[in-house]
Every structure is written in C-alpha cells, then in structure tokens.
Amino acid sequence: MHIIYSKVLTATPDMLICPIFEDGKSGDISDTGLGKIVKDMQKNKLFKAQTGEYKLVYSSSKGLPKRILLVGLGKIIKVNDGLIRNTVAKVLKSHLGKDINTIGVLTYKALDLYTKPLAEGIMLVNYNFAQYKTGKDMKKAKEKLFSDLILFGKNISVSVKKAVKEAQILSDSVNLVRDLVNGAPNYITVDNFAKEAKAIAKKHKYSIKVYDRAWIEKKGMGALLSVNNGSGNKTAKLVVMEYKPKVMTKKDPVLFVGKGLIFDAGGYNLKPSKYIEDMHQDKAGGALVVGIFNALKDLKIKRHVVGIVPLTENLIDAYAQKPSDVVTSYSGKTIEIRNTDAEGRLILADALAYGVETFKPEYTIDFATLTGACMVALGDRYAGLLGNNESLMKAIKKSADKTDELVWELPIHDDFRQAMKGKVADLRNIDNGTSSLAGTSKAAAFLEYFVGKSKWAHLDIAGTAYNEKPKATDYPFATGYGLRLMIDFLENC
Ligand code: BES
Ligand code: MG
Ligand code: ZN
C-alpha cells in the first residue's frame, strides 16, 4: 500500500473518509470545502457524528472526491484508541468494493493524537485471504483491497507521519501472521513454515537457525520428538531467530516462544468432527513470533529479542505416541503421556527449556492455542494470561488495554502444579480425572516446570487467534491477535 500526503484536498481518492467528532469543531475542516457540508448536516440533524454513525455522501463538486464517507467518532472526551480503531475499521470495511482503490482520509489537529489507531483501523481491514480461490471468486475477493492511502491535512507533522508508518509496519506484520495461520496445512507445512521464517530473517538480516529432526534428537528434546513421531514425514523443526539491535536498552533478551503445530488431529486421542476441521490454526503462536520479527527492525525496537518456534504436526501413524508412553524432555524431566491431544505443552516444554537455558532471557513469553478450556472461560475477546511474575504480567495487561488486544489473568494454584505430577514419571501431560476443570491453568502449571527461574508469562490464544465471527478490525478466521500487543510491550519493557 502506498501512503501519500497532501496539503490540499483533491478529487483523487475514490472515497474520502472524514472522521468527525460529535462535539468537534468542524472549523478544523471548514477550509477544505467540506466544512459547510458537514456543518449543515449536523445542524439539520442528518448526521450527528455519534460513535459509529456514518453517512456516505456523493459529491459532484469538482474539487471533491466522488464519495465522501462521514464517520462519527462520538464526543471527544469519550474517545480512546480502541474506539477510533474499531469505529473506522467497521465503517470502512462495509464500504470497500470494486471501484475503490484509493482511499483518502481527512486529518486535522484534534485527530493528530489518534493517528496511529486511525491508520490501523484503515489498514487492518485492507486484507483478504484469497490465495486458494481462482477465477471470478479470486477477483471478487481482491476487489475489496485498496492500493493507496492519501492523508489530507494542512499541517501534517513529523509525528503524524511516524505514527502512520508505524501503523503500516504493524498492519503488514498482522497480515503476515494472518496469512500463515490461514494457510492450509498441506501448503504451510513444517518445511514451508520454516522457509517463511527464513525469508523474514533474510529480509531484515537477522540470524536464524532452523534445526532439523536429527539435531532435535541429538539434543534430547524427547517431548517434541514424541509428538512428531505420529507425523508420517517425521519432519520436526526448531526455528530460532535472533534480533540484536546496535543500540539496546538491556542486554538480556526477551524470549518469545510460539506453538507451531501445523495441524493438530489430536493423535490417538483423535479429535472428533467439529473440533478437528480448523486445527491448522494451531500454528498461530508460532506465526505470531514470525510476525513480531517482521516488525522489530523497521520499528527500531531497542531490545534484544529471541524467537523460538517448535514445528510439527500432531497426527497418527504406526509410530505415533500412545497414552501411557513415557518421554524424557530436554530438561531431563520425564513426562507420562496421558493424552496425545495435550501436545502443545509438550512441544513448548522443550522449546521453553532450551530457550531459557541457552539465552538466559530477562523475560520469557510464550503464545499458544493451547486449550479449548480457554475459549470456554474467556471467549474470543480475551486471551488467557498466566505466569510467575506480577510485574511482567502487569506490563502485558497495560499494553493489552492500550492496543485493545485484551488479556485476562487466570491463576496457577499450587494444587494445579501438584495435579500435573506423574504417577510413574515426574510429570504427566494431563491431570487425572478432572482435566476439563481449570484446563487453561493446569496447562500453564505444566509449562511452568520448564521455565526455570525466568520471569515468564503465557498467553493462551486459543480463543483470540482465529474466529468465524470477526471483530471490527478482522475478517473471518485468522486475526493476527497479539502482534500489536507484544510490540507495545517491547516498546515499554
Ligand atoms: N490445539 C488444541 C487447543 C485448541 C482448541 C486450540 C480449540 C484452538 C481451538 C490443543 O492441542 C488441545 O487439543 N487441547 C486439549 C487439551 C486437553 C486434552 C487437556 C483441549 O483443549 O481439549
Ligand atoms: Mg491438541
Ligand atoms: Zn494443539
């Protein structure tokens, strides 16, 4: 998408978005030739600019764009980033179409503070997933995309331009996550996922290592291997990416670990219909790590960041792991496999233990579509947040509220830790009998055994990463949840 700035309003855009406050001075836009239109409409109560209210006006005036989309933002004192982002996204999404390739947006002083969420709202809806469509269907899906964004404003400041640039980097990275998560499991295979990660690393000149199954065996990552055993092609990988900026605020890195489960059939504890179909989404945590790396350098993040993604499928074949198998994890702890569908915690256990030992991070944060229980508890708007460090979780909550990528804290009670202790091995991957109760907490209690003394937080994104019913800034399926949240965290930690 091209970004263009213009001091004077022109007729170029196919549609012009005019964000308007209910009690704002339309004086701000009066000298654009639009002020009168808006003022008259407000006076005649045709358009009050209440939150979410919109009006599409067709103008025949020479200097004005043909379509003018008035978007109400409500009263200025009630406005916040989330409201701006969501309102603009929702209204724009319903107006995109065939003849709209250039979008204009009117900016003015009272809006400056909200440039980033405004731009995000516009850019996040410039997405579709039509890779597998052909012919007319593909064309139709692509028609809703636009290619240029022109910002109109008399005095567009450097900080406004910076905010727009940031929004663009963020939205591009969100879209990259969405593409990876939406990708069919026969396209985004373990190998191809690793290739995508390599391409990102190459583009930004990060160091990246993609370790194969032989290396994983040599290292003794028995938990990851055990899940991979059921995969016919026996392709497991561990992707390790590192971003080390020249100027760093702290030496110790932030470690991100993302579940990269290419397809989760459940293994011998096979998932039934209605639960298995969309399990290509189970790589959302891993995709998030790759997406974050796509943004780090361009956003000039000043922290040393390491990203680790364990990659495998969870299928059934003659060598697949069985309930009652015992495996030895990278940490040395032995694990009784009680349920082959609780595979995410197994692959994360090895990735976390390896990451913490190797990189000695200040913070460790993992992302995983880990439990159906999290969806039951929190639905699709909040990710589950669990961890062992109050101040780290507080910082994540703060970023969550700011970015509207929400989190809700769930507890790790000592009883849950006890519940994950094994009968014959050190640990077991699900507890006895009551595994459906507090499932998200118990999964986190299991992970906690592998993070050592590191300050650690776990985000269960099972409900937020993938939705049939999208929220304002999303389309059906992959959401790219967590990217804006984690970048905000990195900017402030
Ligand atoms: N990938 C699933 C969790 C999931 C469910 C993600 C729905 C997204 C949407 C995970 O591997 C899983 O199967 N978890 C089990 C754990 C259980 C066996 C303790 C679950 O939630 O049923
Ligand atoms: Mg599973
Ligand atoms: Zn899974």
Side-chain angles (χ1 to χ4, degrees):
M1 187 178 34
H2 290 118
I3 312 270
I4 301 148
Y5 294 96
S6 171
K7 281 192 166 56
V8 288
L9 185 59
T10 66
T12 317
D14 301 310
M15 183 162 68
L16 176 73
I17 304 170
C18 293
I20 297 168
F21 294 107
E22 197 175 335
D23 48 355
K25 299 179 208 96
S26 46
D28 265 348
I29 53 172
S30 58
D31 37 4
T32 59
L34 268 173
K36 196 176 156 7
I37 302 180
V38 175
K39 221 183 226 161
D40 284 352
M41 289 187 84
Q42 281 186 310
K43 208 160 100 194
N44 298 323
K45 302 211 162 42
L46 285 170
F47 179 75
K48 291 198 220 154
Q50 286 171 337
T51 314
E53 190 187 351
Y54 65 82
K55 195 129 256 158
L56 183 62
V57 184
Y58 291 92
S59 106
S60 52
S61 189
K62 232 177 150 192
L64 291 179
K66 233 195 299 177
R67 300 180 193 83
I68 297 167
L69 183 59
L70 306 178
V71 182
L73 299 176
K75 295 211 165 73
I76 257 181
I77 44 156
K78 291 206 171 150
V79 154
N80 58 47
D81 284 13
L83 183 139
I84 300 250
R85 188 186 303 105
N86 288 328
T87 305
V88 172
K90 192 171 169 207
V91 174
L92 177 59
K93 192 156 70 174
S94 62
H95 286 86
L96 290 173
K98 199 167 149 228
D99 305 318
I100 298 170
N101 290 315
T102 301
I103 302 266
V105 59
L106 202 65
T107 69
Y108 48 89
K109 206 159 184 320
L111 256 183
D112 278 4
L113 207 58
Y114 301 104
T115 306
K116 196 169 159 195
L118 172 71
E120 285 169 354
I122 294 170
M123 293 170 184
L124 286 170
V125 298
N126 194 18
Y127 177 79
N128 66 22
F129 189 72
Q131 288 178 24
Y132 308 133
K133 304 249 188 211
T134 65
K136 261 195 201 145
D137 287 346
M138 182 185 65
K139 224 180 121 201
K140 215 165 161 199
K142 295 240 155 110
E143 275 169 3
K144 296 220 160 187
L145 297 175
F146 52 91
S147 53
D148 297 299
L149 178 65
I150 313 179
L151 283 100
F152 295 102
K154 252 197 315 198
N155 305 298
I156 298 182
S157 65
V158 176
S159 62
V160 164
K161 286 187 183 170
K162 190 170 166 246
V164 172
K165 184 81 205 145
E166 280 169 11
Q168 190 178 17
I169 296 162
L170 290 169
S171 327
D172 285 351
S173 304
V174 169
N175 289 342
L176 193 140
V177 179
R178 288 168 168 173
D179 277 351
L180 273 175
V181 176
N182 281 329
N186 59 330
Y187 280 85
I188 305 294
T189 56
V190 167
D191 279 331
N192 287 339
F193 189 111
K195 270 186 203 151
E196 299 278 344
K198 269 189 180 164
I200 299 299
K202 195 170 167 203
K203 181 171 142 203
H204 300 285
K205 301 199 177 66
Y206 303 141
S207 82
I208 181 169
K209 298 234 163 67
V210 176
Y211 297 114
D212 61 7
R213 190 176 153 112
W215 183 91
I216 294 166
E217 273 171 16
K218 209 165 78 199
K219 285 283 170 185
M221 297 187 173
L224 170 56
L225 282 174
S226 186
V227 175
N228 185 245
N229 283 341
S231 182
N233 56 34
K234 300 286 181 289
T235 306
K237 294 210 187 299
L238 192 80
V239 175
V240 181
M241 305 172 89
E242 195 169 358
Y243 164 73
K244 231 177 181 174
K246 284 204 184 83
V247 185
M248 297 194 277
T249 49
K250 291 178 191 167
K251 197 176 120 275
D252 293 341
V254 175
L255 168 65
F256 292 129
V257 177
K259 175 178 176 183
L261 213 298
I262 295 300
F263 187 80
D264 180 14
Y268 276 107
N269 292 97
L270 184 63
K271 286 186 186 294
S273 294
K274 292 208 181 78
Y275 293 90
I276 197 170
E277 292 83 355
D278 288 324
M279 274 306 134
H280 61 295
Q281 69 176 278
D282 218 15
K283 53 182 153 22
L288 177 53
V289 172
V290 176
I292 291 170
F293 269 76
N294 188 54
L296 293 175
K297 193 171 190 187
D298 291 345
L299 289 173
K300 303 189 179 69
I301 298 295
K302 290 193 188 64
R303 290 280 325 219
H304 178 192
V305 186
V306 175
I308 301 188
V309 185
L311 289 168
T312 178
E313 301 169 321
N314 185 28
L315 303 180
I316 299 176
D317 86 352
Y319 300 96
Q321 64 175 354
K322 306 166 287 296
S324 77
D325 275 355
V326 173
V327 302
T328 302
S329 67
Y330 176 79
S331 71
K333 291 188 180 82
T334 54
I335 305 165
E336 235 171 290
I337 308 300
R338 302 298 305 169
N339 188 312
T340 60
D341 200 11
E343 85 298 337
R345 61 197 75 182
L346 295 171
I347 70 170
L348 289 173
D350 280 347
L352 282 166
Y354 172 77
V356 168
E357 182 192 273
T358 312
F359 297 99
K360 303 188 176 44
E362 184 191 10
Y363 298 124
T364 301
I365 305 177
D366 76 80
F367 320 114
T369 43
L370 205 62
T371 64
C374 192
M375 298 174 80
V376 175
L378 300 177
D380 61 9
R381 207 59 175 82
Y382 290 83
L385 171 68
L386 305 96
N388 64 5
N389 184 274
E390 275 307 317
S391 70
L392 170 59
M393 290 200 281
K394 210 170 144 192
I396 294 175
K397 280 183 208 163
K398 202 169 161 193
S399 293
D401 290 337
K402 239 164 86 187
T403 54
D404 196 33
E405 296 203 303
L406 302 174
V407 298
W408 199 261
E409 189 178 339
L410 295 171
I412 305 181
H413 193 276
D414 201 44
D415 286 357
F416 302 152
R417 295 185 186 105
Q418 295 309 317
M420 301 315 289
K421 292 208 160 149
K423 268 194 305 187
V424 299
D426 299 335
L427 298 170
R428 52 185 171 196
N429 76 333
I430 67 164
D431 68 317
N432 231 10
T434 57
S435 65
S436 64
L437 305 178
T440 308
S441 289
K442 286 172 186 162
F446 178 88
L447 295 179
E448 196 190 37
Y449 282 106
F450 299 92
V451 298
K453 290 204 166 63
S454 148
K455 293 174 187 162
W456 159 75
H458 159 63
L459 279 176
D460 193 327
I461 57 172
T464 51
Y466 189 92
N467 286 321
E468 305 259 333
K469 277 203 195 117
K471 65 181 204 293
T473 48
D474 296 332
Y475 287 96
F477 316 129
T479 61
Y481 171 92
L483 188 124
R484 293 185 298 101
L485 165 64
M486 277 302 125
I487 294 296
D488 189 84
F489 169 79
L490 284 174
E491 283 171 343
N492 294 290
C493 74

